[in-house]
């Protein structure tokens, strides 16, 4: 009799707890307290600060002849994957450094040195897809918060000095993601390319080619991306089962012609 | 939720004080400002172990205080782990998470009020039985 009373009272307490929890879950606290929006605003503010510093340090290439083909590749990646191209701000910096990065606030930055190094358009598409993956998964903001700390970031956005913003830009330029995050970005990047009908194999070739170079000449983009050779092998293994016949984005000659504006800038 | 019932005998003043202290022990973590869910339980457990050869009145209330802390430990630990995941694994601050934290906040507040009430009443020699924990205590000490 007493045991039965224990079970009944236990059920009442548990059901009472669950009922209160479920009832409260129906309230949209996130909208009421603008939780998602505040985080998004902070991210955009940080992205703007870093971009301002980068654009002061490097020349921004605004030549439409140079940007348009890359914007088309970005648009193709977005349209095929149900993403809005307006959500990604593509920017090209004039510098011979082989680097590409994703900034908080969804800005995708490629250095002209990286474009010149790529032997075909699919390699640039692969780099863009990789960085898009970092943006989509929120890797950049997570990593920055871990490295710098949220309170410091908030301090920077509300009154941080130029030195601290410069340090943050340097951090982003040399941001080293761990292997798991890079592999995730590789996988998502490959998926983005495959859905866009862009051959992903050249990106594996790019990793292999650049990773095989001696350590002194390994580009910044790869020095911050662990294990390029192993990743190129992993990518190649992954793509072995992909039997799709991809149509090249453009011919070799068209690609070389596309690179000309960047050559003249460099 | 809380029932006042006659006990088997009239407790002495010393028994009332020690039984009341078992509830006070569970307020230790709040008093020292430590939000970790285990501190309350450890303090109550330590007092229970020290009083386990005492009179029935004292043992009864030590057991009830201890049992109430165990359920809070479970609820609060889930909240603690979830919060750590939100902070360090960048999990979304979802409506479910916020609702859970409010719910355990309400339960902790309810338990705090019940504990203070029980500490005061037991000190006066009144035998307080909580829903579930009182019934379980009767079952254990049978």
């Amino acid at each position: 009799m007493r045991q039965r009373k224990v079970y009944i009272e236990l059920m009442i307490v548990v059901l009472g707890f669950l009922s209160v929890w479920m009832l409260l879950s129906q309230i949209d606290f996130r909208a009421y307290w603008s939780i998602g929006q505040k985080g998004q605003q902070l991210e955009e503010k940080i992205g703007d600060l870093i971009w301002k510093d980068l654009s002061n340090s490097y020349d921004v290439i605004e030549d439409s002849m140079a940007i348009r083909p890359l914007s088309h590749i970005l648009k193709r990646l977005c349209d095929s994957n149900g993403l809005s191209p307006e959500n990604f701000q593509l920017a090209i910096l004039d510098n011979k450094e082989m680097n590409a990065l994703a900034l908080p606030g969804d800005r995708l930055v490629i250095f002209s040195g990286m474009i010149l190094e790529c032997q075909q358009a699919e390699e640039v598409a692969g780099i863009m897809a990789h960085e898009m993956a970092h943006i989509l998964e929120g890797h950049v903001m997570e990593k920055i918060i871990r490295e710098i700390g949220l309170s410091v970031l908030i301090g920077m956005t509300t009154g941080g000095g130029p030195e601290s913003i410069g340090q943050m830009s340097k951090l982003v330029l040399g941001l080293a993601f761990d292997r798991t995050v890079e592999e995730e970005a590789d996988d998502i990047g490959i998926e983005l390319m495959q859905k866009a009908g862009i051959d992903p194999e050249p990106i594996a070739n790019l990793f292999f080619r650049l990773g095989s170079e001696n350590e002194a000449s390994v580009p910044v983009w790869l020095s911050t991306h662990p294990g390029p050779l192993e990743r190129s092998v992993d990518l190649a293994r992954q793509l072995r089962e992909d039997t799709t016949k991809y149509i090249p984005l453009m011919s070799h000659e068209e690609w070389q012609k596309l690179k000309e504006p960047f050559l003249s800038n460099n | 939720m809380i029932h006042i019932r006659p006990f088997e005998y009239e407790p002495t003043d010393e028994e009332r004080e020690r039984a009341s202290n078992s509830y006070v022990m569970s307020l230790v973590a709040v008093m020292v400002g430590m939000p970790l869910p285990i501190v309350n339980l450890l303090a109550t457990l330590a007092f229970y172990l020290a009083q386990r050869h005492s009179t029935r009145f004292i043992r009864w209330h030590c057991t009830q205080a201890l049992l109430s802390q165990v359920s809070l430990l479970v609820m609060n630990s889930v909240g603690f782990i979830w919060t750590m995941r939100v902070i360090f694994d960048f999990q979304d601050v979802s409506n479910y998470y916020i609702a859970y934290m409010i719910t355990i906040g309400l339960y902790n507040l309810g338990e705090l009020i019940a504990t203070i009430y029980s500490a005061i009443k037991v000190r006066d020699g009144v035998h307080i039985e909580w829903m579930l924990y009182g019934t379980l205590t009767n079952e254990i000490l049978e």
Side-chain angles (χ1 to χ4, degrees):
Chain A
M1 175 73 176
R2 194 178 282 160
Q3 264 190 359
R4 196 159 158 252
K5 195 178 172 201
V6 168
Y7 290 131
I8 291 169
E9 288 180 355
L10 180 63
M11 287 279 292
I12 292 170
V13 169
V14 170
L15 285 173
F17 180 87
L18 291 173
S19 305
V20 172
W21 180 20
M22 286 302 122
L23 275 169
L24 286 172
S25 301
Q26 304 310 308
I27 302 172
D28 194 355
F29 293 103
R30 286 178 59 87
Y32 187 69
W33 290 330
S34 309
I35 288 173
Q37 287 166 26
K38 283 194 172 72
Q40 183 69 24
Q41 281 166 8
L42 177 67
E43 187 173 331
E44 281 172 10
K45 209 163 180 184
I46 290 165
D48 287 342
L49 282 171
I50 298 173
W51 172 245
K52 197 172 164 190
D53 187 68
L54 284 175
S55 53
N56 286 339
S57 307
Y58 303 95
D59 290 331
V60 181
I61 294 176
E62 285 165 349
D63 178 4
S64 58
M65 292 293 291
I67 297 174
R68 197 177 301 134
L70 298 174
S71 298
H72 282 152
I73 296 174
L74 177 66
K75 189 172 185 315
R76 183 164 161 175
L77 283 166
C78 288
D79 289 347
S80 307
N81 287 280
L83 303 166
S84 173
E86 283 78 37
N87 287 349
F88 297 92
Q89 301 171 63
L90 177 64
I92 305 169
L93 295 179
D94 180 21
N95 191 277
K96 61 183 182 201
E97 200 176 290
M98 280 184 267
N99 204 353
L101 47 117
L103 297 185
D106 304 344
R107 196 171 256 119
L108 212 159
V109 178
I110 306 178
F111 283 57
S112 55
M114 178 61 92
I115 296 169
L116 288 171
E117 174 60 33
C118 291
Q119 293 176 354
Q120 54 193 111
E122 282 80 356
E123 290 180 2
V124 165
I127 292 163
M128 288 169 71
H130 179 92
E131 298 303 329
M132 281 171 70
H134 280 314
I135 291 173
L136 290 168
E137 296 301 306
H139 292 158
V140 186
M141 200 60 195
E142 277 179 30
K143 185 72 180 180
I144 291 176
I145 289 173
R146 281 205 177 104
E147 296 278 336
I148 294 183
L150 191 55
S151 56
V152 174
L153 276 175
I154 292 172
M156 280 180 185
T157 56
T158 52
E163 323 79 42
S164 51
I165 296 165
Q167 279 166 11
M168 194 162 55
S169 301
K170 282 197 180 67
L171 168 71
V172 170
L173 277 172
L175 209 56
F177 289 108
D178 63 29
R179 194 190 180 94
T180 318
V181 165
E182 284 305 316
E183 283 175 1
E184 191 181 20
D186 283 344
D187 291 342
I188 295 171
I190 297 286
E191 275 178 32
L192 291 173
M193 291 179 77
Q194 286 172 329
K195 282 189 185 160
I198 301 173
D199 188 2
E201 198 176 323
I203 191 69
N205 297 337
L206 176 69
F207 275 132
F208 186 81
R209 192 171 74 240
L210 296 178
S212 303
E213 289 174 10
N214 66 53
E215 207 176 292
S217 60
V218 169
V220 174
W221 188 71
L222 277 181
S223 67
T224 56
H225 289 54
L229 285 174
E230 302 92 88
R231 283 165 68 207
S232 76
V233 169
D234 284 340
L235 282 172
R237 194 179 301 129
Q238 211 178 312
L239 295 172
R240 204 180 294 151
E241 288 157 20
D242 183 1
T243 54
T244 311
K245 295 269 186 266
Y246 293 96
I247 298 169
L249 278 172
M250 58 186 77
S251 66
H252 180 73
E253 291 74 30
E254 282 171 328
W255 174 244
Q256 295 306 319
K257 201 170 160 60
L258 190 149
K259 290 202 297 190
E260 280 171 14
F262 300 105
L263 274 167
S264 56
N265 279 324
N266 270 278
Chain B
M1 299 284 282
I2 291 184
H3 305 286
I4 295 174
R5 296 196 206 285
F7 198 64
E8 295 152 19
Y9 62 87
E10 188 66 27
T12 64
D13 193 56
E14 192 192 335
E15 282 177 290
R16 293 175 194 184
E17 189 179 343
R18 283 211 248 161
S20 174
N21 285 345
S22 65
Y23 296 102
V24 173
M25 280 300 117
S26 62
L27 301 175
V28 162
V30 173
M31 289 191 289
V32 301
M34 291 178 70
L36 296 174
I38 195 82
V39 175
N40 274 356
L41 179 71
L42 288 175
T44 314
L45 178 65
F47 194 80
Y48 169 83
L49 291 171
Q51 304 300 324
R52 66 185 187 281
H53 299 301
S54 286
T55 64
R56 189 166 165 84
F57 186 76
I58 297 170
R59 279 188 292 122
W60 198 99
H61 286 281
C62 284
T63 307
Q64 180 170 256
L66 183 62
L67 289 172
S68 69
Q69 291 305 309
V70 171
S71 60
L72 271 185
L73 173 71
V74 173
M75 277 189 238
N76 291 347
S77 296
V78 170
F80 185 76
I81 291 166
W82 201 342
T83 303
M84 290 299 107
R85 293 200 67 188
V86 164
I87 293 171
F88 294 108
D89 285 350
F90 298 93
Q91 248 192 21
D92 270 346
V93 177
S94 63
N95 285 324
Y96 283 114
Y97 168 76
I98 297 169
Y100 186 84
M101 298 311 288
I102 294 174
T103 306
I104 63 171
L106 289 171
Y107 266 73
N108 275 273
L109 184 63
E111 199 269 346
L112 181 69
I113 294 168
T115 299
I116 295 171
Y117 177 76
S118 299
I120 295 168
K121 284 293 182 188
V122 167
R123 184 66 186 89
D124 291 337
V126 177
H127 178 60
I128 301 276
E129 282 190 20
W130 296 9
M131 188 175 82
L132 179 60
Y133 306 114
T135 316
L136 263 174
T137 304
N138 284 329
E139 188 68 21
I140 290 167
L141 294 183
E142 200 172 71

